[in-house]
Amino acid sequence: MRILVVEDDPDLNRQIVAALGDAGYVVDKAMDGEEGHFLGETEPYDAVVLDLGLPVLDGVSVLEKWRRAGKKMPVLILTARDRWSDKVAGFDAGADDYVVKPFQMEEVLARMRALLRRSAGHATSELTCGPMVLDTKSARVTVNGTAIKLTSLEFRLLSYLMHHGGKVVSRTELVEHLYDQDFDRDSNTIEVFIGRLRKKLGVDVLHTIRGMGYCVSEPDNAK
Ligand code: CA
């Protein structure tokens, strides 16, 4: 899952980026509204953390422009103290949730998990596929109740496919959502990671759809 953080306070920006990175997300950052708007319009993010008080272009305007351009990714806005009018303006502009400053980082992480889950159509933190369970809260994967040890990239890859369970995800899409913008991307490595994941999971839930991409589904529905 790839997330954009738009926040002009350098310390806060760094803290949010670090917390999301530790939680296993790929994170890009922007320090003003114009840069944030550009990234959100050109890169395919799974979610955005957007401060409303931003230099150059304010957060509400950024959000309005994204929504007008048809960008549908879930957006969590950061609002100052208890400016209720900011929240209203934010929701009217297309925000999905908000956190009031100052906040506990845990709250941002919990709200982000819920936003990503809901936008993928899941109601709980546990995503299940046959004998495999991926807990988005603890970032753990089990198969038939046994914990499987995965590297952070393997987890990200599996998590993205699980969030889009049943749908075919192309290699290009995976590359775009698993690496940040500065990463030297090579879509051939995806095949290698899929192979490793299959071996570690030991169950037939990761399917290659020739010429199209990959899909997670129960062993019985193997294509
Ligand atoms: Ca600000």
mmCIF file with all atom_site columns, all heavy atoms in Angstrom, residues 7-9 51 53-54 101, ligand 1:
data_model
loop_
_atom_site.group_PDB
_atom_site.id
_atom_site.type_symbol
_atom_site.label_atom_id
_atom_site.label_alt_id
_atom_site.label_comp_id
_atom_site.label_asym_id
_atom_site.label_entity_id
_atom_site.label_seq_id
_atom_site.pdbx_PDB_ins_code
_atom_site.Cartn_x
_atom_site.Cartn_y
_atom_site.Cartn_z
_atom_site.occupancy
_atom_site.B_iso_or_equiv
_atom_site.pdbx_formal_charge
_atom_site.auth_seq_id
_atom_site.auth_comp_id
_atom_site.auth_asym_id
_atom_site.auth_atom_id
_atom_site.pdbx_PDB_model_num
ATOM   1  N  N   . GLU A 1 7   ? 2.166  17.520 4.477  1.00 0.00 ? 7   GLU A N   1
ATOM   2  C  CA  . GLU A 1 7   ? 2.213  18.245 5.762  1.00 0.00 ? 7   GLU A CA  1
ATOM   3  C  C   . GLU A 1 7   ? 3.424  19.164 5.713  1.00 0.00 ? 7   GLU A C   1
ATOM   4  O  O   . GLU A 1 7   ? 4.529  18.728 5.407  1.00 0.00 ? 7   GLU A O   1
ATOM   5  C  CB  . GLU A 1 7   ? 2.317  17.223 6.912  1.00 0.00 ? 7   GLU A CB  1
ATOM   6  C  CG  . GLU A 1 7   ? 2.737  17.798 8.252  1.00 0.00 ? 7   GLU A CG  1
ATOM   7  C  CD  . GLU A 1 7   ? 1.737  18.813 8.803  1.00 0.00 ? 7   GLU A CD  1
ATOM   8  O  OE1 . GLU A 1 7   ? 0.595  18.427 9.073  1.00 0.00 ? 7   GLU A OE1 1
ATOM   9  O  OE2 . GLU A 1 7   ? 2.119  19.998 8.936  1.00 0.00 ? 7   GLU A OE2 1
ATOM   10 N  N   . ASP A 1 8   ? 3.203  20.466 6.022  1.00 0.00 ? 8   ASP A N   1
ATOM   11 C  CA  . ASP A 1 8   ? 4.299  21.424 5.875  1.00 0.00 ? 8   ASP A CA  1
ATOM   12 C  C   . ASP A 1 8   ? 5.183  21.539 7.115  1.00 0.00 ? 8   ASP A C   1
ATOM   13 O  O   . ASP A 1 8   ? 6.284  22.077 7.033  1.00 0.00 ? 8   ASP A O   1
ATOM   14 C  CB  . ASP A 1 8   ? 3.752  22.802 5.495  1.00 0.00 ? 8   ASP A CB  1
ATOM   15 C  CG  . ASP A 1 8   ? 2.783  23.331 6.533  1.00 0.00 ? 8   ASP A CG  1
ATOM   16 O  OD1 . ASP A 1 8   ? 1.889  22.571 6.943  1.00 0.00 ? 8   ASP A OD1 1
ATOM   17 O  OD2 . ASP A 1 8   ? 2.925  24.492 6.945  1.00 0.00 ? 8   ASP A OD2 1
ATOM   18 N  N   . ASP A 1 9   ? 4.712  21.045 8.263  1.00 0.00 ? 9   ASP A N   1
ATOM   19 C  CA  . ASP A 1 9   ? 5.555  21.072 9.460  1.00 0.00 ? 9   ASP A CA  1
ATOM   20 C  C   . ASP A 1 9   ? 6.584  19.945 9.328  1.00 0.00 ? 9   ASP A C   1
ATOM   21 O  O   . ASP A 1 9   ? 6.212  18.766 9.318  1.00 0.00 ? 9   ASP A O   1
ATOM   22 C  CB  . ASP A 1 9   ? 4.673  20.850 10.699 1.00 0.00 ? 9   ASP A CB  1
ATOM   23 C  CG  . ASP A 1 9   ? 5.484  20.849 11.988 1.00 0.00 ? 9   ASP A CG  1
ATOM   24 O  OD1 . ASP A 1 9   ? 6.586  20.251 11.985 1.00 0.00 ? 9   ASP A OD1 1
ATOM   25 O  OD2 . ASP A 1 9   ? 5.016  21.412 12.978 1.00 0.00 ? 9   ASP A OD2 1
ATOM   26 N  N   . ASP A 1 51  ? -2.762 17.583 5.396  1.00 0.00 ? 51  ASP A N   1
ATOM   27 C  CA  . ASP A 1 51  ? -2.951 18.700 6.319  1.00 0.00 ? 51  ASP A CA  1
ATOM   28 C  C   . ASP A 1 51  ? -3.790 19.753 5.603  1.00 0.00 ? 51  ASP A C   1
ATOM   29 O  O   . ASP A 1 51  ? -3.687 19.909 4.383  1.00 0.00 ? 51  ASP A O   1
ATOM   30 C  CB  . ASP A 1 51  ? -1.572 19.269 6.695  1.00 0.00 ? 51  ASP A CB  1
ATOM   31 C  CG  . ASP A 1 51  ? -1.686 20.385 7.720  1.00 0.00 ? 51  ASP A CG  1
ATOM   32 O  OD1 . ASP A 1 51  ? -2.631 20.343 8.535  1.00 0.00 ? 51  ASP A OD1 1
ATOM   33 O  OD2 . ASP A 1 51  ? -0.834 21.291 7.700  1.00 0.00 ? 51  ASP A OD2 1
ATOM   34 N  N   . GLY A 1 53  ? -3.963 23.171 6.599  1.00 0.00 ? 53  GLY A N   1
ATOM   35 C  CA  . GLY A 1 53  ? -3.240 24.449 6.561  1.00 0.00 ? 53  GLY A CA  1
ATOM   36 C  C   . GLY A 1 53  ? -1.896 24.269 5.876  1.00 0.00 ? 53  GLY A C   1
ATOM   37 O  O   . GLY A 1 53  ? -0.922 23.882 6.508  1.00 0.00 ? 53  GLY A O   1
ATOM   38 N  N   . LEU A 1 54  ? -1.857 24.525 4.563  1.00 0.00 ? 54  LEU A N   1
ATOM   39 C  CA  . LEU A 1 54  ? -0.635 24.299 3.789  1.00 0.00 ? 54  LEU A CA  1
ATOM   40 C  C   . LEU A 1 54  ? -0.238 25.550 3.030  1.00 0.00 ? 54  LEU A C   1
ATOM   41 O  O   . LEU A 1 54  ? -1.101 26.314 2.591  1.00 0.00 ? 54  LEU A O   1
ATOM   42 C  CB  . LEU A 1 54  ? -0.865 23.191 2.756  1.00 0.00 ? 54  LEU A CB  1
ATOM   43 C  CG  . LEU A 1 54  ? -1.033 21.752 3.246  1.00 0.00 ? 54  LEU A CG  1
ATOM   44 C  CD1 . LEU A 1 54  ? -1.516 20.875 2.101  1.00 0.00 ? 54  LEU A CD1 1
ATOM   45 C  CD2 . LEU A 1 54  ? 0.273  21.222 3.816  1.00 0.00 ? 54  LEU A CD2 1
ATOM   46 N  N   . LYS A 1 101 ? -5.345 17.893 15.409 1.00 0.00 ? 101 LYS A N   1
ATOM   47 C  CA  . LYS A 1 101 ? -4.025 18.117 16.019 1.00 0.00 ? 101 LYS A CA  1
ATOM   48 C  C   . LYS A 1 101 ? -4.197 18.713 17.418 1.00 0.00 ? 101 LYS A C   1
ATOM   49 O  O   . LYS A 1 101 ? -5.074 19.560 17.582 1.00 0.00 ? 101 LYS A O   1
ATOM   50 C  CB  . LYS A 1 101 ? -3.210 19.097 15.170 1.00 0.00 ? 101 LYS A CB  1
ATOM   51 C  CG  . LYS A 1 101 ? -2.781 18.558 13.834 1.00 0.00 ? 101 LYS A CG  1
ATOM   52 C  CD  . LYS A 1 101 ? -1.995 19.661 13.117 1.00 0.00 ? 101 LYS A CD  1
ATOM   53 C  CE  . LYS A 1 101 ? -1.573 19.216 11.733 1.00 0.00 ? 101 LYS A CE  1
ATOM   54 N  NZ  . LYS A 1 101 ? -0.831 20.267 11.009 1.00 0.00 ? 101 LYS A NZ  1
HETATM 55 CA CA  . CA  B 2 .   ? 0.159  23.097 8.421  1.00 0.00 ? 1   CA  B CA  1
#
